[in-house]
Amino acid sequence: MGQTAMQKILAAHAGKTSVEPGEFIMAKADLAMANDVTAPISIKALERAGITKLWDKDRIAIVFSHFVPAKDILSAAQAAVAREFALKYDLSLFFDEGRGGIEHSLLPELGLVVPGDVVIGADSHSCTYGGLGLFSTGVGSTDLAAVMATGEIWLKVPETMKFNYRGKPGPWVTGKDLILFTIGQITFDGALYKNMEFTGPALQHLSMEARLTMTNMVIEAGGKSGFIEADAVTEEYLKGRAKRPYQIYKSDPDAIYCANYDWDISGMEPQVAQPNLPDKVAGLSKVVGAKVHSAFLGSCTNGRIEDLRIAADILKGHKVAKGLRFMVIPATQNVYRQALKEGLIDIFMEAEAIVSAATCGPCLGGHMGVLGPNEVCISSSNRNFPGRMGHRDSQVYLANPAVVTASAITGCITHPDDIVGKPTIKAA
Amino acid sequence: MIHGTGYKFGDNVDTDQIISAKYLVTTDPKELAKYCMESADPDFSKKVKAGDMLVAGRNFGCGSSREHAPLSIKGLGLGLVIAESFARIFFRNCINIGMPILECPQAARDAKDGDQFNVDLDQGIIKNVTQGKSYQAQPFPDFMQQIISAGGLMPYVKKRLAVGN
Ligand code: SF4
């Protein structure tokens, strides 16, 4: 009987020839990851158990992302716990403040996760890496502590849902729109504990970054993991980047899926998730004109260089709307530097956007531009639950970087065509 | 082999019903046990004996990811939770703190409050003695049983590391 790529990857990591959905396995991990918020809890669990020897100092990544730089005394103290641990155990993949960025953007960017891997992260968006043709999932801090100690994790093999996208995405349609559309169709628990395999001719038109945006948000549909088979686009991305040899796994033609979806996305317009759930998705034309007070370009979903390029292209020669603030936060320090080199940061600042060092920032309502009561934000991030980005009565629309930027220029939700089509206003 | 009385609950029992948020001021299982299932049955913690079982419907343990919920069940000395299905994080938390659980839709559906059970965890066999019925649940592989008998994931990891040294 045919197997999905995910079954093959998990079987290979459990020392078996095949595994079935529902089966419990002990899988060997290739990489364990924690951030500044989750690492301290794992560290405490290790301490409580009296464990002082780690699995592998070169396979445990600690990435400072959420509160960078420390936003208050508590976060500074929390960071100190993780920093001390990383230095004590001489972890080679320790990314302190100023040295990294958001974990889910950083690990792929540095080639630290490669096709065929099993990656376990103590953060719910650890599913992101699956876009590279690997298994990755988010776990709690105790589970991660066990991986830090042994390099192994117990898992229940998930069933796989297959999503086939046909056609060619339109000009402003990106990975973000495909995944928002998908979540809107299957709802926030439509993929509960399942592996979501994305495939089809439309993906040929998506860059690696756009694909990672898709797998980033499988958790918003309840998914355990996401998967996109590695192909020429993936290999091109990995060139000069991959830090380890890798293996490409493909699903058999007769593999068993628990659900099959098939969509033609030609003619699809950009998609927007309305407050307060990622599955309240509508076509852009349905929400055009809604007033926003704040716009955020960044996060592990859409804070990569490609996203900043799209935004700068639209923003060039315009100003951010009066009464609105536009936060631009590159997902990693490398993205920031690249954006500087390309002159993008200059465009953002000329337009009077606020640019900050790489951090999660307002995505989780942490710092760097949180929302006040009744404020509305349009954001390139992945979650819009009540209070996610600040006050419990604030609201968030989720959209792609082009829509976020166009809206920042007008102060209400706007189609990018309406900006790019118009003659540019000379910057004062 | 576990023997005990089964106490039956319905579908979608969330972690708030298992242990109310107002008791989350401690992680001591014995202390938490006093309030286990309090909102569904205020006398629950007083009437159960060691080895008794909680039998529930679908999606048991949904809601928050708090480990206090399985800890309160374990602290009460319950021998097993049988349900039609479990919420995933609750399931993981149970294994990780060494609380035995079995998923068995038919056994859970047939059960009546107060039925007597004999359960063989190794084989995954659930016997409802009162009704004279026997059910086969998917047994846990060896390493999962070792995690449970070690008292949870971290004790298991510690044991394994000690053997490895
Ligand atoms: S950017 Fe947002 S979603 Fe991504 S890791 Fe940070 S807080 Fe989580």
Side-chain angles (χ1 to χ4, degrees), chain B residues 72-83:
Chain B
S72 73
I73 295 173
K74 194 182 177 193
L76 205 48
L78 291 178
L80 176 70
V81 183
I82 305 169

Side-chain angles (χ1 to χ4, degrees), chain A residues 10 15 36 45 57 74 83 145 159 200 222 237 246 251 261 277 287 333 336 343 353 357 362 375 405:
Chain A
L10 291 176
D36 50 321
K57 74 176 196 56
L74 278 178
R83 183 179 296 114
E159 294 181 295
Y237 180 82
Y246 56 84
S251 294
Y261 290 87
L277 269 179
V287 292
Q333 293 294 85
Y336 197 155
E375 287 192 323
T405 309

Side-chain angles (χ1 to χ4, degrees), chain A residues 22-26 45-46 49-51 53 137-139 142-143 145-146 149-150 152-156 193 219 222-224, chain B residues 59 62 67 86-89 91-96 103 138-141 143-144 147 153-158 160-161 165:
Chain A
E23 186 177 338
F24 292 100
I25 55 165
M26 191 58 106
L46 288 170
I51 292 166
K53 217 171 143 275
T137 196
V139 297
T142 307
D143 278 305
T150 64
E152 292 183 344
I153 175 111
W154 71 267
L155 294 169
K156 192 174 183 180
Y193 319 136
I219 183 73
K224 177 175 189 157
Chain B
N59 205 20
C62 57
E67 268 179 35
F86 292 94
R88 171 182 166 234
I89 296 174
F91 189 96
R92 261 205 107 79
N93 284 343
C94 279
I95 303 296
N96 287 350
E103 204 167 76
Q138 188 194 358
F140 286 129
F143 69 85
M144 299 275 284
I147 295 174
L153 183 61
M154 291 314 283
Y156 166 80
V157 163
K158 212 179 162 196
R160 285 214 23 215
L161 292 177
N165 284 345

Side-chain angles (χ1 to χ4, degrees), chain A residues 152-404:
Chain A
E152 292 183 344
I153 175 111
W154 71 267
L155 294 169
K156 192 174 183 180
V157 177
E159 294 181 295
T160 296
M161 304 169 83
K162 185 174 181 174
F163 298 86
N164 191 53
Y165 303 89
R166 286 177 289 114
K168 186 169 182 244
W172 298 111
V173 172
T174 66
K176 180 63 157 285
D177 304 290
L178 296 196
I179 190 64
L180 283 177
F181 173 80
T182 305
I183 297 166
Q185 293 293 311
I186 68 171
T187 76
F188 72 95
D189 62 354
L192 213 51
Y193 319 136
K194 307 260 195 312
N195 172 51
M196 297 172 79
E197 181 174 330
F198 303 121
T199 185
L203 296 201
Q204 294 307 315
H205 303 283
L206 295 188
S207 67
M208 197 58 237
E209 300 195 345
R211 294 177 183 190
L212 289 167
T213 299
M214 292 187 73
T215 42
N216 174 266
M217 289 190 71
V218 305
I219 183 73
E220 272 63 56
K224 177 175 189 157
S225 56
F227 182 84
I228 298 175
E229 193 179 288
D231 61 6
V233 173
T234 322
E235 296 218 67
E236 185 58 35
Y237 180 82
L238 289 165
K239 247 185 227 155
R241 206 188 284 262
K243 295 289 187 298
R244 284 181 279 118
Y246 56 84
Q247 190 173 348
I248 293 175
Y249 289 87
K250 297 179 188 243
S251 294
D252 294 328
D254 58 343
I256 310 273
Y257 294 92
C258 65
N260 278 285
Y261 290 87
D262 179 68
W263 291 303
D264 184 349
I265 56 125
S266 326
M268 175 193 278
E269 60 172 334
Q271 304 286 302
V272 177
Q274 307 164 87
N276 291 323
L277 269 179
D279 68 358
K280 270 189 79 181
V281 175
L284 174 57
S285 54
K286 303 247 166 39
V287 292
V288 151
K291 181 163 173 53
V292 290
H293 307 90
S294 160
F296 170 46
L297 175 68
S299 87
C300 58
T301 318
N302 279 123
R304 305 185 189 90
I305 189 69
E306 173 180 295
D307 303 314
L308 268 55
R309 285 183 190 135
I310 292 172
D313 253 7
I314 295 171
L315 199 56
K316 204 172 179 151
H318 293 276
K319 293 275 187 206
V320 168
K322 272 220 162 55
L324 178 141
R325 65 263 183 201
F326 186 19
M327 291 297 310
V328 178
I329 308 188
T332 67
Q333 293 294 85
N334 286 331
V335 170
Y336 197 155
R337 288 185 76 182
Q338 184 63 28
L340 259 178
K341 271 188 212 149
E342 295 181 18
L344 310 183
I345 301 296
D346 202 47
I347 295 173
F348 293 129
M349 298 194 71
E350 181 70 36
E352 296 166 356
I354 315 168
V355 182
S356 121
T359 179
C360 297
C363 170
L364 76 161
H367 61 153
M368 308 298 280
V370 300
L371 303 177
N374 302 315
E375 287 192 323
V376 182
C377 177
I378 183 153
S379 171
S380 73
S381 58
N382 50 33
R383 283 189 173 153
N384 61 348
F385 306 134
R388 167 74 179 180
M389 293 183 70
H391 192 275
R392 64 175 185 281
D393 294 330
S394 59
Q395 296 192 326
V396 179
Y397 289 87
L398 304 174
N400 75 31
V403 175
V404 167

